[in-house]
């Protein structure tokens, strides 16, 4: 399906990759270099990391000064807040497409092309990179499955993977999204906003690279319960 | 002979009401919360002077014992307060987010200008 599709260099210049990074000094450098070497623009947000993440970002920026924009939260505000900062900053550059990407190396930079394909072809305004659940470690698989069902229940959009950090939008779609989340609930909120704005939506299966490090963060049971409570709260108060 | 504790409660109530009044005059608290607090303290004074009075209010709500009434009101009051605090903290979180995000975005733009110069 995605056989021979190649994004032109012209389009690549207009693709901005938003990467929120919190305590990722060991992995984020490699992720940035891989993505930047493919020719994409990157807006990376250091979310008040306690380790050396910010320095790693700045050093990587020196290698790709035209591709990487570094922003930094003074204090940690959560994955959602950092993603929003990245989105807002990316929008200032007038891109055509915006992609969100995880800093921990769980996504394959080669998939960016795959995720952008429906946007470039005009088949979709919003794309979600779904991780195949079969590949997921069991604990993650369970939490993500439950979250995906809950997202369907609360936000009425059927998705395979609601908790992915890999998403892509056209700039018009990105401008319409009203995201208020602070933490990981942002993944569910994107789904809600895609549904609310009636965006043309597609789901693309992506490769996920699971290492012990990439498993430490993300949606585990506790985060899942927190997200669920927030969704209930939103349902009641909004 | 009048027991000592009603006097103690009345004193505290008077101090609290005066304190609230000044806060209200400085526009530090809203009229509605001013009135709620005044009513609350008046009730505390009434119950301190005449503990049996709580029985009268309890009867209105169909509660047999006066003390139960006071405890129920206290629990409701505390729940209300914690909800209010929860919402306020939530708002504060949002404000902090706004600040931190705005700062991050502003600083990025400055960096960019430096690059062009």
């Amino acid at each position: 399906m995605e056989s021979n599709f190649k994004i032109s260099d012209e389009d690549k210049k207009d693709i901005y990759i938003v990467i929120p990074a919190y305590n990722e000094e060991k992995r984020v450098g490699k992720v940035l270099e891989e993505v930047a070497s493919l020719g994409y623009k990157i807006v990376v947000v250091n979310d008040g990391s306690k380790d050396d993440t910010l320095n790693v970002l700045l050093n990587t920026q020196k290698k790709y000064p035209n591709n990487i924009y570094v922003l930094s939260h003074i204090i940690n505000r959560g994955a959602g807040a950092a993603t929003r900062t990245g989105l807002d900053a990316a929008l200032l550059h007038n891109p055509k497409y915006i992609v969100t990407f995880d800093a921990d190396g769980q996504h394959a930079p080669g998939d960016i092309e795959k995720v952008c394909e429906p946007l470039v072809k005009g088949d979709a305004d919003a794309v979600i990179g779904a991780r195949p659940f079969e590949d997921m470690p069991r604990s993650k698989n369970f939490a993500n499955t439950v979250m995906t069902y809950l997202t369907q229940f609360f936000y009425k959009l059927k998705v395979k993977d609601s908790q992915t950090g890999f998403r892509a939008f056209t700039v018009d779609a990105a401008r319409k999204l009203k995201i208020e989340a602070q933490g990981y609930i942002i993944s569910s909120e994107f789904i809600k906003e895609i549904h609310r704005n009636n965006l043309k939506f597609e789901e693309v299966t992506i490769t996920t690279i699971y290492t012990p490090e990439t498993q430490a963060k993300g949606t585990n049971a506790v985060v899942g319960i927190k997200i669920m409570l927030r969704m209930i709260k939103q349902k009641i108060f909004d | 002979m009048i027991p000592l504790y009603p006097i103690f409660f009345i004193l505290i109530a008077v101090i609290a009401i005066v304190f609230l009044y000044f806060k209200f005059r400085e526009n530090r608290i809203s009229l509605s919360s001013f009135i709620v607090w005044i009513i609350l303290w008046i009730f505390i004074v009434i119950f301190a002077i005449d503990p049996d009075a709580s029985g009268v209010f309890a009867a209105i709500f169909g509660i047999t014992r006066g003390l139960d009434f006071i405890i129920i009101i206290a629990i409701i009051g505390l729940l209300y307060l914690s909800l209010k605090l929860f919402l306020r903290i939530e708002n504060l979180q949002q404000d902090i987010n706004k600040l931190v995000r705005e700062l991050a975005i502003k600083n990025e733009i400055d960096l960019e200008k430096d690059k062009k110069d």
Side-chain angles (χ1 to χ4, degrees), chain A residues 69 77 84-85 88 233, chain B residues 90 93 97 101 103-104 108:
Chain A
Y69 301 93
R77 297 317 291 163
R84 284 160 59 202
T85 302
D88 287 353
K233 195 192 128 202
Chain B
E90 192 95 325
Q93 293 272 28
N97 281 351
R101 286 169 20 75
L103 267 174
E108 198 271 325

Side-chain angles (χ1 to χ4, degrees), chain A residues 209-221:
Chain A
I209 304 144
Y210 281 104
T211 61
E213 291 92 21
T214 60
Q215 285 182 44
K217 283 203 228 166
T219 310
N220 56 31

Side-chain angles (χ1 to χ4, degrees), chain B residues 1-109:
Chain B
M1 201 194 108
I2 309 165
L4 210 60
Y5 78 89
I7 300 169
F8 181 66
F9 271 108
I10 291 166
L11 256 171
I12 293 179
V14 169
I15 293 169
I17 288 172
V18 170
F19 180 72
L20 283 166
Y21 174 70
F22 278 112
K23 276 205 146 185
F24 174 64
R25 261 202 7 187
E26 291 165 19
N27 284 326
R28 299 269 303 278
I29 53 170
S30 65
L31 179 67
S32 54
S33 49
F34 178 64
I35 291 170
V36 168
W37 279 109
I38 297 284
I39 291 172
L40 192 88
W41 280 108
I42 288 172
F43 271 101
I44 289 174
V45 170
I46 292 173
F47 293 150
I49 296 170
D50 179 14
D52 295 334
S54 59
V56 179
F57 291 98
I60 297 171
F61 290 97
I63 299 162
T64 33
R65 284 203 316 163
L67 190 64
D68 288 351
F69 172 73
I70 295 177
I71 290 169
I72 289 168
I73 292 294
I75 291 172
I76 292 172
L78 287 173
L79 277 177
Y80 168 75
L81 256 175
S82 54
L83 181 73
K84 218 175 145 177
L85 282 176
F86 171 78
L87 290 175
R88 186 163 294 175
I89 290 171
E90 192 95 325
N91 284 339
L92 276 176
Q93 293 272 28
Q94 297 294 347
D95 289 347
I96 295 171
N97 281 351
K98 216 183 213 172
L99 276 174
V100 171
R101 286 169 20 75
E102 202 95 326
L103 267 174
I105 292 170
K106 285 260 156 64
N107 287 337
E108 198 271 325
I109 294 166

Side-chain angles (χ1 to χ4, degrees), chain A:
Chain A
M1 176 189 117
E2 79 278 2
S3 50
N4 299 318
F5 183 76
K6 272 254 172 266
I7 289 175
S8 68
D9 287 343
E10 201 55 42
D11 277 333
K12 265 190 183 176
K13 269 188 229 150
D14 291 322
I15 298 179
Y16 277 70
I17 317 291
V18 170
I19 306 182
Y22 174 58
N23 290 349
E24 294 289 0
E25 59 177 8
K26 291 204 186 76
R27 281 149 295 173
V28 71
K30 192 171 157 250
V31 172
L32 287 189
E33 281 186 33
E34 280 178 16
V35 175
S37 66
L38 292 173
Y40 301 106
K41 295 278 202 300
I42 301 170
V43 175
V44 59
V45 183
N46 167 47
D47 188 19
S49 300
K50 292 184 182 70
D51 64 0
D52 218 21
T53 301
L54 184 58
N55 278 327
V56 173
L57 299 183
L58 292 171
N59 286 332
T60 320
Q61 190 190 30
K62 277 178 202 150
K63 288 186 210 163
Y64 299 91
N66 298 320
N67 289 67
I68 301 177
Y69 301 93
V70 178
L71 285 88
S72 187
H73 281 179
I74 300 170
I75 47 174
N76 177 249
R77 297 317 291 163
T83 308
R84 284 160 59 202
T85 302
L87 284 176
D88 287 353
L91 283 171
L92 294 175
H93 294 281
N94 281 321
K96 270 193 201 155
Y97 312 104
I98 298 181
V99 177
T100 66
F101 198 83
D102 283 354
D104 59 3
Q106 68 159 290
H107 301 318
D111 279 345
I112 293 173
E113 203 151 40
K114 218 169 151 186
V115 169
C116 288
E117 183 183 342
L119 302 181
V120 177
K121 285 184 173 167
D123 296 336
D125 300 319
V127 178
I128 273 179
R131 302 161 294 181
F133 278 20
E134 310 86 70
D135 299 356
M136 240 181 242
R138 189 177 285 167
S139 63
K140 293 252 145 169
N141 185 330
F142 177 73
N144 280 295
T145 308
V146 172
M147 288 320 299
T148 298
Y149 276 115
L150 284 173
T151 308
Q152 276 176 29
F153 176 73
F154 281 111
Y155 298 152
K156 310 278 183 293
L157 190 68
K158 201 169 161 55
V159 291
K160 283 196 223 100
D161 178 12
S162 69
Q163 299 303 304
T164 175
F166 205 159
R167 323 168 186 94
F169 307 95
T170 60
V171 69
D172 292 334
R175 287 222 160 89
K176 281 182 200 154
L177 302 172
K178 270 177 66 190
I179 303 288
E180 255 141 46
Q182 186 175 340
Y184 283 115
I185 197 190
I186 189 163
S187 300
S188 303
E189 211 170 3
F190 271 118
I191 312 271
K192 178 183 119 188
E193 285 297 301
I194 290 169
H195 178 66
R196 190 179 67 87
N197 289 300
N198 279 322
L199 299 176
K200 275 189 286 168
F201 164 75
E202 228 173 80
E203 219 167 355
V204 173
T205 308
I206 52 163
T207 355
T208 314
I209 304 144
Y210 281 104
T211 61
E213 291 92 21
T214 60
Q215 285 182 44
K217 283 203 228 166
T219 310
N220 56 31
V222 179
V223 175
I225 289 166
K226 277 193 195 158
I227 294 176
M228 188 184 79
L229 290 175
R230 279 205 80 100
M231 283 204 269
I232 294 170
K233 195 192 128 202
Q234 282 189 349
K235 196 81 192 167
I236 296 169
F237 289 106
D238 291 355

